[in-house]
Amino acid sequence: MVTVAYIGFGVSVREYHIPYVENRDDIKVKYVYRRQEDIAQFAEYEPYYPEIIFTTDLEQVLGDDEVDLVVVNTPDRFHVPYAKQILEAGKHALVEKPFAPTAKEAAEVFALAKEKGLICMPNQNRRFDADFLAVKEVLESGKLGKLVRLESHYDYFRENGWYDHLGTLYNLAVHTVDQVISLLGMPDDTHFDVRSIHHPGVGDDYYDLEFYYGNSKASVNTSMCVLIDYPRFTVHGTRGSFTLPPVIHNSGRKKTVGRHVISTQPAPEERWGTLVYKNDAGGTVTEKVPVGCAHYERIYDSLVAAIEHGEEKCVKDEEVIRVLEILEEATQIAGSHAEKEKREG
């Protein structure tokens, strides 16, 4: 049994963590810690979790011998300090994305975890998105032949962009870049096109990040200027092609006060993928590929296996560091537009 405590009680904890562990026999949620000044923000949800101890005393959590794992769900700037504090207290840590601001800081945290003999991992749960799992299934089937091109799009239409400051890469690309790395491994080469469309010089609201693998290529794309349904994934191989509809954004969904219940229902048929390929007889085959539900519980499957049985983590340290290196480089490119604006202004 792994006993868990959460730092933070926002949407992430309530919708992407607790619902995926609350009915497990191998995990028990004991605490939610939040600072005194943060209590009012989500206090109305607390009565729906009577089995959890809510506290403003972090030492109570870190000093409890029963607690094995502490999960950090806070604003980004607190991720590294909390992770180090948790590890120093002898607890395993799961940290929300982005794991750290820089690859260097991430390496320091991983080194501390290794020194202490503890598990520390980011919550890269979107490796287990339903649509991404469908892409993996198609690639593993071999029906596409050898991979030639993979496009990953996560687009919006927002007339004022996403942020009026740098941050889109660290909040969106952190997931999609990780998906590519987890699927294809470390790229042989990269090329980054990052722009500031709505807030020149201070924002990163458009990017096209390219990853080269031998004779194949993958790209991660986000734009705030897409007003049509652009496919979420498009994959081309030597024998066929596959495409999936765009993601349905949850950002505008109204929140209902209460205990969140996850859906295990598959996606409706209009959200399924389309696979077209040449079979061994030379004929053209068209198939609809079902899209199931997300399996974010697999992050916890991996943590339990690592903590209790010494198995390898599903998100490897070197993958985390490479993703952060990519985000750093791409963000620097976005920031370079500021200098260009000064020169031309």
Side-chain angles (χ1 to χ4, degrees):
M1 172 75 73
V2 172
T3 299
V4 181
Y6 290 96
I7 295 181
F9 193 51
V11 172
S12 177
V13 171
R14 301 194 313 271
E15 297 189 12
Y16 297 103
H17 286 272
I18 291 177
Y20 288 92
V21 300
E22 60 188 355
N23 295 317
R24 296 178 62 133
D25 295 330
D26 56 354
I27 293 177
K28 170 190 173 183
V29 179
K30 185 170 183 179
Y31 292 104
V32 166
Y33 162 80
R34 61 279 180 273
R35 301 177 307 172
Q36 184 70 42
E37 59 266 38
D38 297 328
I39 291 178
Q41 190 174 8
F42 301 115
E44 56 191 340
Y45 289 90
E46 291 186 18
Y48 292 94
Y49 299 87
E51 78 282 12
I52 296 176
I53 300 169
F54 287 85
T55 180
T56 57
D57 183 0
L58 185 55
E59 292 307 316
Q60 178 186 5
V61 175
L62 298 181
D64 189 332
D65 291 339
E66 187 181 4
V67 174
D68 305 294
L69 171 69
V70 181
V71 184
V72 180
N73 290 265
T74 64
D76 299 353
R77 66 185 183 276
F78 297 119
H79 288 183
V80 168
Y82 273 133
K84 288 182 175 180
Q85 188 175 358
I86 292 162
L87 293 169
E88 290 287 2
K91 311 295 185 184
H92 305 286
L94 177 66
V95 182
E96 265 303 334
K97 59 81 189 171
F99 183 77
T102 65
K104 180 178 180 293
E105 289 170 282
E108 290 173 357
V109 175
F110 289 137
L112 178 61
K114 184 176 180 179
E115 175 191 325
K116 299 288 185 180
L118 296 166
I119 301 299
C120 187
M121 191 175 82
N123 182 43
Q124 290 289 6
N125 62 329
R126 295 204 176 274
R127 292 186 178 198
F128 306 108
D129 279 350
D131 51 9
F132 183 65
L133 292 175
V135 171
K136 289 185 67 176
E137 180 183 332
V138 167
L139 287 172
E140 289 167 0
S141 75
K143 292 176 180 178
L144 291 177
K146 293 182 180 179
L147 177 65
V148 175
R149 180 82 168 94
L150 183 149
E151 289 183 63
S152 167
H153 276 262
Y154 205 100
D155 298 317
Y156 288 83
F157 185 81
R158 293 192 173 186
E159 294 183 79
N160 197 40
W162 184 268
Y163 296 112
D164 61 358
H165 56 276
L166 298 172
T168 306
L169 283 156
Y170 272 85
N171 280 276
L172 292 181
V174 65
H175 287 304
T176 50
V177 171
D178 177 73
Q179 287 178 335
V180 169
I181 297 292
S182 72
L183 184 66
L184 302 177
M186 304 299 181
D188 301 324
D189 197 8
T190 59
H191 178 267
F192 304 147
D193 172 13
V194 188
R195 307 183 210 171
S196 301
I197 305 297
H198 295 91
H199 305 283
V202 294
D204 54 346
D205 50 23
Y206 174 98
Y207 50 82
D208 182 355
L209 313 180
E210 298 178 324
F211 307 92
Y212 298 89
Y213 297 87
N215 210 24
S216 64
K217 172 184 169 182
S219 65
V220 166
N221 309 268
T222 288
S223 172
M224 301 297 133
C225 298
V226 178
L227 195 52
I228 60 172
D229 280 347
Y230 202 96
R232 171 69 179 92
F233 288 103
T234 303
V235 187
H236 301 294
T238 54
R239 297 185 62 179
S241 298
F242 177 62
T243 187
L244 267 170
V247 68
I248 298 175
H249 299 299
N250 290 327
S251 55
R253 182 163 56 89
K254 184 178 180 181
K255 302 297 180 185
T256 301
V257 176
R259 193 161 185 142
H260 182 75
V261 178
I262 59 176
S263 172
T264 58
Q265 295 298 310
E269 192 167 347
E270 63 267 21
R271 310 300 303 174
W272 290 6
T274 301
L275 172 63
V276 182
Y277 64 97
K278 292 287 186 178
N279 61 19
D280 292 338
T284 301
V285 180
T286 300
E287 297 178 0
K288 295 298 288 184
V289 176
V291 175
C293 61
H295 285 282
Y296 300 146
E297 76 280 357
R298 293 181 187 174
I299 285 285
Y300 284 93
D301 293 343
S302 178
L303 283 170
V304 171
I307 291 169
E308 296 196 333
H309 307 293
E311 295 185 17
E312 187 177 44
K313 299 179 293 185
C314 64
V315 185
K316 301 176 180 62
D317 296 355
E318 59 268 26
E319 294 171 335
V320 180
I321 289 170
R322 187 70 185 102
V323 169
L324 288 170
E325 288 173 345
I326 289 166
L327 295 180
E328 285 184 77
E329 183 180 344
T331 302
Q332 286 173 359
I333 294 171
S336 70
H337 295 296
E339 294 302 318
K340 183 179 178 182
E341 286 291 310
K342 290 177 182 177
R343 291 195 304 268
E344 296 177 353

